[in-house]
Amino acid sequence: MIVTERPTRNLSLDLLRSTEAAALAAARWVGLGNKNDGDQAAVDAMRLLLGTIPMRARVVIGEGEKDKAPMLYNGEELGTGEGPETELAVDPIEGTRLVAHGRPGAISVIAAAEKGGLFNPGPGFYAAKLVVGSEAREAINLAASPEENLRSIAKALGKRVRELTVFVLDKPRHARLIDQIRHAGARVSLHTDGDVAGALAAVLPDTGIDVLMGTGGTPEGVIAAVAVKALGGGMQMRLDPQSEEERWALVNTEYNTQRVYTLEELCPAEDTHFAATGITDGQFLRGVRYRDHHAITHSLVIRGHTGTLRYIESHHRLEKLRAISGELY
C-alpha cells in the first residue's frame, strides 16, 4: 500500500462539539418567543466549547464588531492558543426567529479555514447569491437573468425548467424575483429565514431543492461557501446593499457592488471544515429531541481537504453535561 499523504487531525469533529452545544442550549428556547435570550444561550455554549480546541483561532465572520455585538464578535480570539492559525465563521443560531416561534429549519453552524482562507465582506451585510449542486456548477451566471439561469441549470440537470424548485427567502425585496422564477416556469420554495440551510439544500441530494436564488446575509454567504466548495457545488455572490448607509460604507472601503465573486474567491482555502447541527427539524437535519434523561442531536460535518461528509447522531446524557457545564443545557 502506497500512502501519499498521512492522515491529519480533523478539526471538523472538534467544531462539531461546539454546534452540538449551541443547538442543545438554543433548543430550550424553542417556541418561547424570546430570540435574544435563545441566541445568547447558543453563543455562550459555542464559545465555551471553542475555547477548549487546540487552535489559534480568530473570528472573521461573527455577529459584528466588539462594541456593537457582545456575542462572538469579529476579531475575537478563541481556542487554547496552541496549534494552527485558523479563521472562523460562526452563526450559533441561523434562524433566531425560527427558534423563537418554534418553526422548522433553525441550525447552529460554524466554518473554519486556514489564515486568509475566507472572504472578508467588510461592511457588506447583504449579498445576492446563486447556489447549485455539482452537476450544474458550470451553468450559473449571476450577471444573467433568473430565467436564463434556470434554463441553463435545467439543461445541466437533464430536467425541464418546470421541474426545478428554487429556494428563496420570503422577503419583500424578492417580490420581482419570485415573479420572474414563476414566469420562467419553475417552482418557488419560500422560507422566512435560513439561507445557509438553503444553500446546503441546493447542494445536497434528495432535499427537493435544485437552486438557491436571492439576497441574504453576506456572513451567511461566506459560511455557505465553505460547505458548497467542499461538496463540489457551484456558487456566485455579489454584494447587494439594502440601505444607503451600507452602500456608502462599501464605496468608502472600495468594495465594488457590481463585481460577481466566484466560489474560489469566497473560499480560497482547500483545507476547510464545516459543521452544522439541527435545532428545529429541517430538510436535511433533524432538530434536538429530548428523551427521559438524554437529548439527541443530528449534525452534518464536512472536511474540505478530503470531501468527506458525515451525518452524525449524538446521544447526550444531560445530567452529566449539567454537572460539568452548569445550566447551559
Side-chain angles (χ1 to χ4, degrees):
M1 180 178 67
I2 299 174
V3 179
T4 59
E5 184 178 337
R6 292 181 60 83
T8 57
R9 175 168 156 263
N10 189 346
L11 180 61
S12 308
L13 297 176
D14 290 325
L15 297 176
L16 166 66
R17 295 176 63 212
S18 73
T19 60
E20 287 179 338
L24 287 167
R28 292 297 187 186
W29 294 89
V30 169
L32 295 181
N34 188 336
K35 69 176 186 176
N36 292 332
D37 285 352
D39 196 24
Q40 186 66 64
V43 167
D44 291 343
M46 179 173 279
R47 179 184 279 123
L48 176 67
L49 269 294
L50 290 175
T52 70
I53 301 174
M55 61 180 178
R56 291 174 291 156
R58 183 173 179 269
V59 177
V60 296
I61 304 291
E63 302 192 351
E65 301 303 320
K66 181 178 181 180
D67 293 338
K68 297 181 180 179
M71 298 290 195
L72 282 161
Y73 58 86
N74 297 346
E76 183 171 355
E77 295 182 355
L78 297 164
T80 63
E82 301 174 346
E85 286 191 79
T86 305
E87 291 184 346
L88 297 178
V90 304
D91 199 348
I93 300 180
E94 192 206 23
T96 53
R97 283 176 296 188
L98 300 178
V99 170
H101 298 298
R103 294 172 180 161
I107 62 174
S108 177
V109 62
I110 189 168
E114 65 262 30
K115 186 177 180 180
L118 298 176
F119 173 69
N120 182 353
F125 297 114
Y126 290 93
K129 309 165 194 175
L130 185 55
V131 181
V132 292
S134 58
E135 292 179 340
R137 64 184 178 186
E138 303 298 331
I140 58 174
N141 179 8
L142 194 54
S145 70
E147 184 175 2
E148 290 173 303
N149 273 294
L150 290 169
R151 287 200 302 264
S152 181
I153 292 166
K155 182 178 180 181
L157 295 178
K159 295 183 176 183
R160 294 173 294 177
V161 171
R162 64 182 297 180
E163 296 175 300
L164 298 179
T165 300
V166 185
F167 181 107
V168 181
L169 291 177
D170 190 7
K171 306 293 183 183
R173 62 177 176 266
H174 287 149
R176 183 168 180 268
L177 172 63
I178 292 167
D179 286 343
Q180 290 174 309
I181 294 169
R182 288 173 173 162
H183 180 75
R187 296 184 290 262
V188 176
S189 179
L190 290 173
H191 300 259
T192 58
D193 297 276
D195 53 342
V196 173
L200 285 167
V203 178
L204 293 168
D206 304 321
T207 65
I209 299 295
D210 298 291
V211 53
L212 174 142
M213 286 185 172
T215 294
T218 306
E220 289 84 352
V222 177
I223 294 172
V226 173
V228 173
K229 181 177 178 179
L231 294 173
M235 179 175 179
Q236 294 182 4
M237 189 172 86
R238 182 184 66 246
L239 297 173
D240 187 17
Q242 297 298 296
S243 69
E244 282 303 308
E245 181 182 4
E246 182 183 356
R247 186 180 305 279
W248 279 112
L250 288 167
V251 169
N252 291 335
T253 49
E254 300 184 349
Y255 280 86
N256 182 353
T257 59
Q258 301 304 310
R259 178 178 175 178
V260 174
Y261 292 92
T262 67
L263 187 53
E264 288 298 324
E265 291 173 312
L266 297 173
C267 179
E270 294 297 331
D271 191 10
T272 58
H273 305 271
F274 179 94
T277 300
I279 302 172
T280 59
D281 286 347
Q283 289 173 295
F284 55 91
L285 288 176
R286 296 188 297 275
V288 176
R289 282 168 163 72
Y290 292 98
R291 298 295 184 262
D292 289 342
H293 302 291
H294 67 282
I296 303 170
T297 56
H298 190 221
S299 303
L300 169 69
V301 183
I302 309 167
R303 185 176 184 185
H305 185 57
T306 60
T308 301
L309 180 153
R310 293 178 171 90
Y311 283 102
I312 296 177
E313 181 178 284
S314 301
H315 292 241
H316 309 268
R317 290 287 298 275
L318 294 176
E319 71 274 14
K320 287 182 175 289
L321 289 178
R322 290 170 184 148
I324 296 168
S325 305
E327 293 302 317
L328 280 175
Y329 309 108

